[in-house]
């Protein structure tokens, strides 16, 4: 690519027009640079950046340092009208960071590349990374190095066992369950939770589409959990119109917000979900104290695996081929698994299709987001795949075996033993199954 006479060409446009062009082309850079060689990507990226008025002091892209990396962060649309005067400072330094602006867009650093750590966390990480990188001198880790460092420190428990008799056969009802911790930093979790509250407030004001927001009347303990659905509307039971449980073919819901797309990119990029099952729908559950989810198996209108991310507080999830309802919000079954704050539970195999699962009445406020991919034959009428969720690939890093988180290990020791014959777990008592970990 040869340099152009940028001054002559750009002189025809106002700075505001150049800024819009820079932001637009930055968003589409991954598509525009597809199949280009690395040198061409660098030139294209630097030329796009040079359009921005803040970089107008040197519009000749050929004079920009070749150490400048191409722009690859995701520009996320602001979903809150009160924040339409927000902006993002230039995040080429890799910070998880936003400031005030007049732009209707905000840049929430793409979590597949940004770590969202505050200064204290970053300083602590830098100390540890000196040993990890084996470098004798202090240096600031690059964005890719920070991501790799966080990726290899994700803890992954992938083997859980609990045997029950199902149709006369002894079956491991938990085969296929995975629990991932350390996927989201504290700063990232706070950003996600704050955004969920913004969505809840929009729903209360009627600013979301008809089927997106639901807040049933709380008439007894365990009833009235708030739900926010994106991509499709899932019907839990046959409704008044006679629609059976499953994805409604007709029903107005909002598309997946851009912030949640960033989460999906993290989940696929960090080997939590496979690239063959990229979610195209999600449901947010907002629990108040005493709210629960009754025993169920997720409808097969959704493919396996799917996953649930937990926020705000830890809670237990129960599994069993025959879960019992003991009272409002009280259930008993064979196996209880604590879900730490920020953890991601992946369900597939017997863990998704043989064992039922439920969440007993939570002791304090909790938020969960469940991401699922629809069966193509069950998608709503008029559904169009989101281009932002196409072609996502896992990062080229190897997973490593990690130790069981201390909190999980402590609870595990008190609840599960090595009895492979199964047993009974009550939401107020102990259990008789086991878990172990594998890479």
């Amino acid at each position: 690519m040869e340099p152009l006479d940028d001054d002559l060409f750009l002189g025809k446009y106002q700075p505001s027009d150049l800024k819009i062009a820079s932001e637009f082309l930055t968003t589409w850079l991954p598509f525009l640079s597809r199949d280009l060689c690395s040198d061409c990507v660098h030139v294209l990226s630097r030329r796009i950046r040079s359009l921005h008025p803040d970089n107008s002091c040197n519009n000749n892209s050929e004079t920009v340092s070749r150490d400048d990396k191409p722009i690859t962060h995701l520009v996320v649309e602001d979903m809150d009208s009160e924040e339409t005067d927000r902006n993002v400072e230039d995040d080429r330094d890799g910070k998880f960071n936003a400031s005030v602006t007049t732009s209707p867009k905000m840049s929430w650093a793409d979590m597949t590349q940004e770590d969202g750590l505050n200064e204290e966390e970053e300083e602590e990480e830098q100390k540890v990374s000196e040993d990890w990188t084996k470098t004798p001198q202090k240096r600031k880790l690059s964005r890719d190095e920070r991501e790799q460092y966080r990726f290899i420190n994700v803890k992954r428990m992938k083997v859980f066992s609990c045997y029950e008799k199902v149709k006369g056969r002894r079956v491991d009802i938990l085969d296929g369950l995975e629990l991932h911790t350390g996927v989201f930093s504290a700063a990232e979790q706070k950003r996600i939770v704050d955004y969920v509250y913004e969505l809840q407030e929009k729903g209360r004001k009627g600013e979301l589409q008809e089927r997106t927001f639901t807040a049933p009347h709380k008439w007894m303990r365990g009833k009235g959990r708030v739900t926010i659905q994106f991509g499709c509307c899932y019907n839990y039971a046959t409704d008044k119109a006679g629609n059976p449980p499953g994805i409604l073919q007709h029903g107005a819901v909002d598309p997946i917000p851009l912030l949640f797309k960033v989460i999906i990119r993290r989940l696929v990029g960090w080997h939590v979900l496979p690239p063959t099952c990229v979610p195209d729908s999600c449901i947010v559950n907002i629990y108040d104290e005493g709210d629960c989810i009754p025993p169920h198996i997720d409808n097969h209108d959704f493919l396996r695996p799917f996953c649930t991310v937990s926020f705000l507080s830890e809670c237990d999830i129960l599994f069993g081929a025959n879960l019992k309802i003991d009272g409002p919000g009280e259930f008993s079954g064979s196996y209880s698994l604590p879900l730490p704050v920020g953890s991601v539970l992946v369900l597939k195999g017997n863990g998704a299709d043989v064992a039922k699962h439920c969440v007993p009445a939570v002791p304090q406020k909790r938020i969960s987001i469940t991401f699922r991919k629809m069966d193509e034959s069950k998608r709503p009428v008029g559904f169009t795949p989101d281009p932002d969720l196409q072609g996502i690939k896992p990062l080229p890093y190897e997973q490593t075996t990690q130790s069981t988180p201390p909190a999980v290990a402590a609870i595990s020791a008190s609840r599960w033993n090595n009895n492979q014959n199964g047993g009974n777990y009550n939401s107020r008592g102990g259990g008789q199954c086991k878990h172990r970990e594998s890479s």
Side-chain angles (χ1 to χ4, degrees):
M1 297 176 62
E2 295 297 329
L4 300 175
D5 189 348
D6 293 340
D7 292 336
L8 180 62
F9 180 78
L10 299 180
K12 304 174 184 178
Y13 300 93
Q14 297 296 323
S16 58
D17 296 330
L18 296 176
K19 182 178 180 180
I20 293 173
S22 175
E23 293 176 350
F24 177 80
L25 293 173
T26 295
T27 304
W28 284 93
L29 181 62
F31 174 78
L32 297 174
S33 61
R34 186 183 300 169
D35 299 327
L36 295 181
C37 69
S38 58
D39 288 340
C40 290
V41 173
H42 278 294
V43 173
L44 181 60
S45 172
R46 287 184 276 117
R47 182 156 294 159
I48 291 174
R49 185 179 290 123
S50 71
L51 293 175
H52 200 286
D54 292 344
N55 300 324
S56 61
C57 59
N58 193 346
N59 282 329
N60 188 338
S61 63
E62 294 300 314
T63 63
V64 180
S65 168
R66 293 189 61 83
D67 292 334
D68 210 0
K69 293 185 178 180
I71 305 169
T72 55
H73 66 271
L74 180 64
V75 176
V76 180
E77 182 179 354
D78 186 1
M79 299 300 294
D80 190 336
S81 59
E82 294 181 1
E83 292 186 359
T84 53
D85 32 288
R86 289 199 174 203
N87 178 13
V88 208
E89 295 176 350
D90 189 356
D91 63 350
R92 286 172 292 174
D93 59 352
K95 295 286 186 181
F96 187 90
N97 179 10
S99 64
V100 178
T101 183
T102 57
S103 170
K105 290 189 176 183
M106 58 182 288
S107 173
W108 187 62
D110 185 346
M111 290 193 300
T112 62
Q113 297 187 5
E114 311 279 353
D115 53 21
L117 301 176
N118 60 36
E119 292 182 1
E120 293 179 0
E121 288 175 317
E122 190 166 344
E123 288 176 3
E124 183 63 27
E125 181 183 283
Q126 182 68 43
K127 293 177 183 178
V128 178
S129 67
E130 289 175 18
D131 295 332
W132 176 67
T133 55
K134 305 298 183 183
T135 51
Q137 296 182 346
K138 266 193 174 183
R139 68 177 181 86
K140 185 175 181 180
L141 294 179
S142 69
R143 179 183 298 176
D144 290 340
E145 287 173 328
R146 292 204 309 274
E147 181 175 19
Q148 183 176 4
Y149 175 78
R150 287 193 56 196
F151 170 81
I152 67 173
N153 280 280
V154 171
K155 297 176 176 63
R156 310 171 191 272
M157 290 186 290
K158 293 193 174 184
V159 178
F160 297 85
S161 297
C162 185
Y163 287 82
E164 288 190 42
K165 281 192 175 180
V166 180
K167 297 180 179 179
R169 297 180 58 190
R170 188 166 172 270
V171 176
D172 182 0
I173 62 168
L174 301 182
D175 181 52
L177 284 189
E178 299 178 6
L179 183 65
H180 303 250
T181 56
V183 179
F184 301 102
S185 71
E188 292 164 348
Q189 292 179 46
K190 182 181 184 304
R191 189 61 174 270
I192 295 167
V193 168
D194 289 346
Y195 184 62
V196 167
Y197 285 144
E198 292 174 12
L199 291 172
Q200 183 180 22
E201 186 61 25
K202 279 191 161 192
R204 288 171 175 166
K205 293 179 178 178
E207 296 175 3
L208 300 176
Q209 294 197 51
E210 177 187 3
R211 294 278 190 171
T212 300
F213 179 80
T214 305
H217 177 65
K218 291 182 180 292
W219 55 274
M220 66 177 290
R221 184 173 186 262
K223 300 293 184 181
R225 185 181 75 256
V226 172
T227 61
I228 310 175
Q229 303 191 62
F230 297 102
C232 72
C233 178
Y234 173 73
N235 198 21
Y236 289 92
T238 302
D239 60 20
K240 296 179 181 179
N243 296 307
I247 298 173
L248 292 180
Q249 293 301 296
H250 301 276
V253 295
D254 288 271
I256 296 178
L258 292 179
L259 179 59
F260 289 0
K261 295 179 193 177
V262 175
I263 298 175
I264 291 173
R265 294 180 66 87
R266 166 70 62 85
L267 296 173
V268 177
W270 284 21
H271 302 246
V272 176
L273 290 175
T276 55
C277 202
V278 177
D280 53 15
S281 68
C282 68
I283 179 170
V284 179
N285 288 291
I286 304 174
Y287 301 74
D288 284 325
E289 181 181 346
D291 287 348
C292 68
I293 290 183
H296 69 283
I297 290 178
D298 281 55
N299 196 289
H300 280 82
D301 284 2
F302 299 101
L303 304 181
R304 274 59 170 158
F306 56 92
C307 72
T308 294
V309 191
S310 299
F311 300 101
L312 283 183
S313 64
E314 181 175 302
C315 77
D316 293 340
I317 183 170
L318 265 58
F319 289 89
N322 298 289
L323 294 177
K324 296 180 181 179
I325 300 177
D326 299 328
E330 296 185 2
F331 314 110
S332 59
S334 301
Y335 192 92
S336 176
L337 175 66
L339 299 177
V341 176
S343 65
V344 184
L345 179 67
V346 179
L347 294 93
K348 59 183 176 180
N350 291 348
D353 297 328
V354 174
K356 294 181 179 180
H357 58 273
C358 65
V359 175
V362 297
Q364 53 188 310
K365 198 168 185 66
R366 174 180 185 254
I367 289 175
S368 70
I369 307 178
T370 298
F371 294 94
R372 299 180 289 200
K373 181 178 178 64
M374 293 180 277
D375 184 321
E376 291 187 11
S377 65
K378 303 294 184 179
R379 287 172 173 171
V381 174
F383 177 84
T384 303
D386 193 319
D388 292 339
L389 298 176
Q390 308 306 306
I392 304 176
K393 296 180 180 179
L395 295 175
Y397 306 142
E398 292 185 2
Q399 299 181 29
T400 56
T401 303
Q402 301 290 336
S403 59
T404 303
V408 175
I411 297 174
S412 302
S414 66
R415 292 188 178 173
W416 306 310
N417 59 36
N418 292 329
N419 185 342
Q420 290 292 295
N421 296 320
N424 182 69
Y425 172 83
N426 186 280
S427 58
R428 296 162 292 183
Q432 293 185 343
C433 292
K434 76 170 188 176
H435 84 290
R436 57 192 178 91
E437 184 179 320
S438 167
S439 63

